[in-house]
Amino acid sequence: MAMTISFIIILLEWNGLFETDHLMLPAIRPATVSFDYTIQRRTHKVATESVHPCTPPWRSSDNCTHQQVLGGDVDKQVLPNVKFDQTTSPYFTTVNVMERKTVYHINDKLVIKIQARDWRNEPKLYGGDFFRFKIFSMNPYSASREDEMTDFQNGTYFVYFTLRWSGKVNISVTLIHPVELLPQMTLTLSGKVGLNVTFVGQFVAGNVTEDVICRYAELEWPFCNLSNPRTHGPWYCQKPKDPRLKCKDWKYHKMYKGTFLKLEENLSPLSKSLLMKSHMVKIPANLPVLVEDVLKLNLPIEDKRRMELSYCAMNGTPAGMHTSGHFFQNKWYPNDCRVVDFSVDTGMKCLSHKTIVYHSTIRQVFEYVKDYYKRYLVQLPLPEGAIKGHGPVELKSVKDKILIKYHFHGLPSSGTGLVLRTDYIEYIVDRINSRKDGCEVVYVLSLWAHFIATGKIFYVRRLLAIKQAVTAFLDRCPRSKVIIKGANTKDHPTIWIAIVSSEWNIVQHELELRKIFRDEKRVGFIDAFDITRVQPFKDQVHPDRKRF
């Protein structure tokens, strides 16, 4: 996460919109790699060499049918009827280096083979397990993820890396979850699981108060339709039983503690066991390799990159999820462009005479800016009844004419013990269309975390409404900026969080976001997912500000 703020500031300066005395630096356009479930049922063992490999769906391959990539060839009775001891075990699954060398050199290819095995220590006969891979070195930290992974669909996987630095390089393989969780994950992706989450609407009129159940799908009649059709914001609450309360008396959006625990009640015994024993578990892979810098290229390679590559540019979102960069000596390097770090002074120079609006789930970046520039920026008092974590919150520097705002996105909004005043609920579509920020503004958006439980269809419709507003805004304000921060990895301290926010589910939503904004080349993109997949820290949905 160390480069996130630099990315955002760089985006502000592109094309001379916000001119300073130093270099004009455009927006970051990294991309990420990931993979979907790919599974094909096998009735007998097949040698790897005789199987046509099915590369992940972010690559095109003549060997893969559309159904194979989506898991459509699976007999629907196979996975639900699998017993736990037949599922992929992170403890028996093996990792080996193919054609291992005594010494490697920078830019050599490293190939590892993974053989999935079940809890009986028997080899698996089908693929589709969801892994996370990286190679890394410590002190100072360098890391990169795989260039590509091939699923042979018989329990064997090949993973390809490029060795980019010298020294002892370690291999890390994590089983995010086995393919046998696919039925549960697809159920979450459909949005059906999220319907079990209970939101609460509080209606108030004078001394009369009543709490009722609310959600993003229609309820049994009678109900109050509190939707925002302009931004695909469906929202319904049961109509209060007290006749003195009307739909217009909706005053607070709330969540009760323990609401999400209900999601665990509907889990099958197999899914629960898999989430408890086979979810986000590292596979033993103590297979370090030695990389030598024979030509003394280590530092010059990165320095040369900074001189030869063009500055990162506003170019929309990437078409798929590809490897976008790597860490080298504690610093993130994009593969296809260069960035520049900012000191407090040069950062303030970049921010002067600007209005920046951080919207939706990007509070940690806003708070980092507040702390990093605390000598210059003053936080204005919160409006009465506003919540610090949801906004509206504003930072201001009168001298430098800087105004930085943060506001959480509209419903659904979740959080333990959340009590949110409805007059502070704001949809980014409405804010952009209102034109109240003018044209000399930068919008920085993060659109994923609170939408994961709603399912892909809800998410896509919300994104399409946002894209329409963004396109219209950039048409009338062509020198302005819109920057989208992608999803980052997150922790899963409880089973219900794993159900809602599995990494597989996050990837499916991230792919939709990238696809929708792909043709809007005036939008900048921060590939937080690729960075956090290989970061030296633990996964955390709200990264510690010390990690920026």
Side-chain angles (χ1 to χ4, degrees):
M1 296 301 293
M3 294 299 294
T4 301
I5 299 303
S6 296
F7 290 166
I8 292 173
I9 294 177
I10 286 167
L11 287 163
L12 305 184
E13 298 203 14
W14 179 70
N15 251 2
L17 167 62
F18 304 121
E19 297 182 359
T20 70
D21 294 335
H22 65 271
L23 296 173
M24 298 302 164
L25 302 176
I28 186 71
R29 183 198 173 268
T32 326
V33 180
S34 190
F35 48 92
D36 201 342
Y37 274 112
T38 302
I39 179 169
Q40 181 178 8
R41 185 162 62 104
R42 302 281 183 184
T43 56
H44 59 280
K45 294 183 181 180
V46 182
T48 299
E49 290 76 12
S50 67
V51 180
H52 291 298
C54 182
T55 54
W58 69 89
R59 309 279 192 207
S60 60
S61 172
D62 295 334
N63 297 323
C64 299
T65 66
H66 182 64
Q67 281 191 324
Q68 283 176 327
V69 169
L70 297 179
D73 286 346
V74 184
D75 186 326
K76 301 304 180 184
Q77 297 181 1
V78 173
L79 295 182
N81 291 334
V82 168
K83 296 180 180 178
F84 177 77
D85 64 359
Q86 297 173 296
T87 66
T88 305
S89 166
Y91 303 104
F92 290 117
T93 293
T94 59
V95 181
N96 291 290
V97 176
M98 302 294 289
E99 300 180 359
R100 186 184 183 93
K101 301 177 183 179
T102 303
V103 176
Y104 291 82
H105 299 119
I106 289 178
N107 288 331
D108 279 356
K109 298 296 181 182
L110 178 68
V111 183
I112 66 172
K113 174 185 176 182
I114 298 172
Q115 177 59 60
R117 306 181 74 88
D118 63 25
W119 290 86
R120 303 167 301 179
N121 203 12
E122 294 289 331
K124 294 290 292 293
L125 304 182
Y126 52 86
D129 296 307
F130 194 60
F131 297 97
R132 189 195 294 181
F133 312 100
K134 74 174 178 179
I135 53 175
F136 67 99
S137 299
M138 301 300 294
N139 302 320
Y141 186 76
S142 300
S144 68
R145 60 178 299 175
E146 75 281 5
D147 298 325
E148 192 166 1
M149 185 278 294
T150 299
D151 179 351
F152 288 92
Q153 302 197 35
N154 64 352
T156 302
Y157 308 82
F158 281 6
V159 189
Y160 306 86
F161 299 91
T162 298
L163 297 169
R164 300 177 181 272
W165 61 88
S166 63
K168 179 182 176 181
V169 177
N170 304 290
I171 299 168
S172 174
V173 179
T174 301
L175 177 64
I176 301 300
H177 45 66
V179 69
E180 288 80 14
L181 261 176
L182 179 59
Q184 177 61 50
M185 295 299 105
T186 52
L187 190 64
T188 302
L189 191 64
S190 72
K192 294 178 182 178
V193 171
L195 292 176
N196 293 320
V197 177
T198 303
F199 298 93
V200 176
Q202 185 173 87
F203 290 73
V204 180
N207 295 326
V208 182
T209 301
E210 185 176 333
D211 288 355
V212 301
I213 292 175
C214 302
R215 66 180 190 182
Y216 53 86
E218 287 190 6
L219 298 158
E220 292 185 6
W221 187 260
F223 59 81
C224 293
N225 186 348
L226 306 168
S227 304
N228 183 331
R230 297 178 300 279
T231 187
H232 182 67
W235 200 254
Y236 307 90
C237 290
Q238 292 174 338
K239 191 172 183 179
K241 295 180 179 179
D242 194 312
R244 291 172 293 178
L245 293 172
K246 310 300 179 185
C247 290
K248 64 180 179 61
D249 296 322
W250 178 47
K251 300 299 182 185
Y252 294 96
H253 167 75
K254 303 196 300 183
M255 286 199 73
Y256 287 144
K257 186 176 181 181
T259 291
F260 282 102
L261 294 177
K262 295 180 180 179
L263 300 180
E264 300 180 17
E265 298 175 0
N266 297 321
L267 277 178
S268 69
L270 176 61
S271 293
K272 191 168 186 177
S273 295
L274 291 173
L275 288 170
M276 292 177 65
K277 300 177 182 179
S278 306
H279 178 65
M280 300 190 77
V281 181
K282 285 195 174 183
I283 296 173
N286 187 18
L287 301 166
V289 298
L290 182 63
V291 182
E292 288 188 350
D293 184 13
V294 177
L295 300 178
K296 308 299 181 184
L297 294 175
N298 223 355
L299 282 172
I301 277 182
E302 302 303 349
D303 290 338
K304 190 176 181 181
R305 292 173 63 83
R306 292 169 65 85
M307 298 304 296
E308 293 183 349
L309 292 176
S310 60
Y311 288 114
C312 303
M314 304 286 273
N315 201 22
T317 53
M321 302 188 75
H322 313 271
T323 302
S324 68
H326 64 282
F327 280 102
F328 177 68
Q329 297 189 355
N330 297 321
K331 183 173 181 178
W332 179 260
Y333 286 87
N335 287 340
D336 56 359
C337 58
R338 56 176 165 151
V339 296
V340 174
D341 295 323
F342 285 80
S343 66
V344 172
D345 291 337
T346 57
M348 282 297 295
K349 197 171 185 179
C350 171
L351 294 171
S352 66
H353 294 81
K354 298 174 183 63
T355 296
I356 303 175
V357 178
Y358 292 98
H359 208 279
S360 304
T361 49
I362 197 166
R363 176 169 54 88
Q364 277 65 41
V365 176
F366 173 84
E367 291 184 352
Y368 174 85
V369 170
K370 180 182 71 173
D371 289 349
Y372 193 65
Y373 299 104
K374 59 186 176 184
R375 285 187 297 160
Y376 301 95
L377 299 175
V378 176
Q379 180 171 325
L380 303 182
L382 278 175
E384 182 183 356
I387 300 174
K388 178 182 178 182
H390 283 70
V393 187
E394 294 186 355
L395 306 176
K396 192 171 185 177
S397 170
V398 176
K399 176 184 175 182
D400 298 290
K401 297 182 179 179
I402 298 172
L403 181 61
I404 302 177
K405 305 177 182 181
Y406 167 73
H407 205 130
F408 196 78
H409 63 69
L411 303 175
S413 301
S414 59
T416 301
L418 173 67
V419 180
L420 183 63
R421 261 178 49 169
T422 57
D423 52 342
Y424 290 137
I425 294 174
E426 180 181 77
Y427 294 87
I428 186 60
V429 169
D430 288 341
R431 183 176 193 111
I432 293 175
N433 289 340
S434 73
R435 308 191 180 195
K436 65 181 179 181
D437 297 311
C439 280
E440 296 298 309
V441 62
V442 177
Y443 290 109
V444 186
L445 314 179
S446 181
L447 311 161
W448 69 280
H450 290 252
F451 299 111
I452 296 295
T454 61
K456 187 167 72 172
I457 293 176
F458 181 102
Y459 185 61
V460 166
R461 289 174 177 170
R462 179 66 64 87
L463 289 180
L464 289 172
I466 294 172
K467 183 190 176 185
Q468 185 179 28
V470 166
T471 299
F473 167 68
L474 293 174
D475 285 344
R476 68 176 182 266
C477 301
R479 289 168 55 83
S480 296
K481 293 284 176 285
V482 176
I483 305 162
I484 297 175
K485 171 195 164 291
N488 52 268
T489 58
K490 65 172 297 182
D491 49 333
H492 296 105
T494 64
I495 290 179
W496 70 260
I497 291 179
I499 296 170
V500 172
S501 301
S502 77
E503 195 158 302
W504 181 82
N505 199 19
I506 291 173
V507 167
Q508 310 315 306
H509 286 74
E510 179 81 354
L511 284 168
E512 294 298 330
L513 181 146
R514 298 181 183 209
K515 182 167 62 177
I516 287 170
F517 282 92
R518 179 173 56 197
D519 61 349
E520 182 45 85
K521 300 301 183 182
R522 297 170 294 179
V523 168
F525 182 67
I526 299 172
D527 194 346
F529 193 75
D530 202 32
I531 297 171
T532 54
R533 275 178 67 99
V534 297
Q535 65 178 329
F537 311 108
K538 292 182 178 180
D539 296 323
Q540 201 169 354
V541 65
H542 299 301
D544 190 314
R545 276 171 282 169
K546 295 178 181 179
R547 300 181 182 180
F548 283 92

